[in-house]
Amino acid sequence: MASISERTFIAIKPDGVQRGLVGEIIKRFEQKGFKLVALKLLHASEDLLKEHYIDLKDRPFYAGLVAYMHSGPVVAMEHHPWQ
């Protein structure tokens, strides 16, 4: 049995938000046994994105990733497995 401290971060990227897929994506995670415990729609700052993706900073796609994630709103969610 999973402990309540076991959490999963999920982000729906700008294209998923723009295409209206938020509800379908949430549904699929819930069908897999995850319980949504927090959700926030936000336009992440470049500083936040740079910090979030810091482990990728030396990769050639890093700047493009940060720019893409900053291009529109994202949905940030926290899930945990059903108890």
Side-chain angles (χ1 to χ4, degrees), residues 4-76:
I4 195 141
S5 64
E6 186 177 328
R7 303 285 170 123
T8 301
F9 172 75
I10 299 166
I12 302 175
K13 299 173 186 174
D15 64 321
V17 175
Q18 180 186 24
R19 293 172 50 206
L21 300 175
V22 174
E24 181 62 30
I25 292 168
I26 291 170
K27 176 183 164 186
R28 289 181 185 199
F29 276 97
E30 289 179 336
Q31 288 174 336
K32 294 288 185 184
F34 287 85
K35 179 180 179 185
L36 179 65
V37 295
L39 179 141
K40 185 175 185 176
L41 175 70
L42 69 142
H43 193 126
S45 70
E46 283 189 48
D47 289 340
L48 176 63
L49 292 166
K50 286 177 181 178
E51 181 181 336
H52 181 74
Y53 292 113
I54 192 72
D55 58 325
L56 302 173
K57 74 176 182 162
D58 295 327
R59 304 296 295 263
F61 57 82
Y62 175 74
L65 174 62
V66 170
Y68 166 67
M69 292 298 288
H70 185 64
S71 70
V74 297
V75 174

